[in-house]
Amino acid sequence: AQSVTQLDSQVPVFEEAPVELRCNYSSSVSVYLFWYVQYPNQGLQLLLKYLSGSTLVKGINGFEAEFNKSQTSFHLRKPSVHISDTAEYFCAVSPWITGNQFYFGTGTSLTVIP
Amino acid sequence: ETGVTQSPTHLIKTRGQQVTLRCSSQSGHNTVSWYQQALGQGPQFIFQYYREEENGRGNFPPRFSGLQFPNYSSELNVNALELDDSALYLCASPGDANTEAFFGQGTRLTVV
């Protein structure tokens, strides 16, 4: 079984400040790791993914995430946020064995304050 | 633009009724997945279809069923609607690497 925990339900941050959105997961099988973003009244957009190799992955819009196997974490970071980053962010895992089946956290609402 | 299209965008149904939601993908992948996203929650995996057969199911009752057609379009059917079925329903299709998924805009279902 898989579970994903997003430790912060809401994160307010001032424009141009750095931000970190935290994600921890547990799984009995090997998984791929993802971050998706959801803007109001829209579907999910892929920000970045970790499949294997380098533990630091870079995504779109200046976001990056670091996979930490020992802590089973996959935290999302951005060094300087913009107003347009205001959205809901979801961490997700997908087991290698099942292929393309995703298990999501409950989401973190990022609000960028001007 | 993800190439995944869902219809309708919004729908209102009465408790006890049945509903059909539709999804099509430009990618031509033979895999499609459906998710339910309740308000304020993350998406929950309902089921996946691969080559027109169900290929994995989340913790949803049998009144949630699906179809996948030879042209890789898909339907989600929900019978005996309950108020708690009110949610955004998302359809997803794999990317080229078959590791990530691309999601449609969703269908907002309201059960009254």
Side-chain angles (χ1 to χ4, degrees):
Chain A
Q2 298 77 38
S3 70
V4 178
T5 302
Q6 293 185 240
L7 298 162
D8 307 293
S9 60
Q10 296 184 344
V11 174
V13 61
F14 286 103
E15 192 175 13
E16 298 184 4
V19 70
E20 178 180 81
L21 305 183
R22 296 180 293 167
C23 172
N24 287 91
Y25 71 94
S26 67
S27 178
S28 55
V29 298
S30 297
V31 294
Y32 300 126
L33 298 159
F34 302 82
W35 276 96
Y36 280 86
V37 61
Q38 186 174 39
Y39 298 101
N41 301 313
Q42 293 192 25
L44 299 168
Q45 180 182 3
L46 178 67
L47 273 179
L48 48 78
K49 61 184 178 182
Y50 174 77
L51 305 181
S52 65
S54 172
T55 58
L56 183 64
V57 292
K58 295 187 183 298
I60 62 171
N61 301 338
F63 284 94
E64 63 181 31
E66 185 156 21
F67 169 58
N68 187 316
K69 186 175 182 179
S70 63
Q71 297 184 4
T72 59
S73 68
F74 190 53
H75 300 334
L76 180 70
R77 302 186 185 101
K78 187 171 183 177
S80 175
V81 296
H82 189 267
I83 295 291
S84 60
D85 293 323
T86 294
E88 192 81 18
Y89 291 78
F90 293 97
C91 181
V93 301
S94 176
W96 293 6
I97 194 168
T98 56
N100 224 257
Q101 295 176 14
F102 291 77
Y103 298 87
F104 290 84
T106 52
T108 297
S109 177
L110 174 64
T111 301
V112 180
I113 305 165
Chain B
E1 180 60 47
T2 65
V4 180
T5 305
Q6 293 186 241
S7 63
T9 55
H10 295 83
L11 200 54
I12 300 175
K13 288 287 190 178
T14 303
R15 188 173 49 183
Q17 284 188 315
Q18 179 266 345
V19 69
T20 298
L21 311 181
R22 294 180 174 83
C23 172
S24 64
S25 172
Q26 295 178 354
S27 70
H29 263 280
N30 51 18
T31 301
V32 64
S33 302
W34 286 90
Y35 295 80
Q36 180 196 65
Q37 185 179 15
L39 199 61
Q41 300 296 317
Q44 288 199 323
F45 174 67
I46 302 175
F47 47 55
Q48 182 185 76
Y49 275 77
Y50 173 69
R51 292 184 176 180
E52 303 175 44
E53 297 288 331
E54 188 176 293
N55 179 47
R57 189 178 188 94
N59 189 26
F60 281 83
R63 59 189 185 84
F64 286 78
S65 63
L67 286 172
Q68 186 184 26
F69 301 100
N71 64 356
Y72 305 132
S73 65
S74 175
E75 289 181 355
L76 165 66
N77 298 290
V78 187
N79 294 322
L81 283 166
E82 301 176 359
L83 297 179
D84 285 349
D85 295 333
S86 295
L88 181 68
Y89 288 85
L90 297 164
C91 168
S93 181
D96 290 339
N98 204 34
T99 50
E100 73 274 14
F102 292 106
F103 288 79
Q105 299 283 76
T107 294
R108 173 75 62 187
L109 173 65
T110 302
V111 182
V112 297

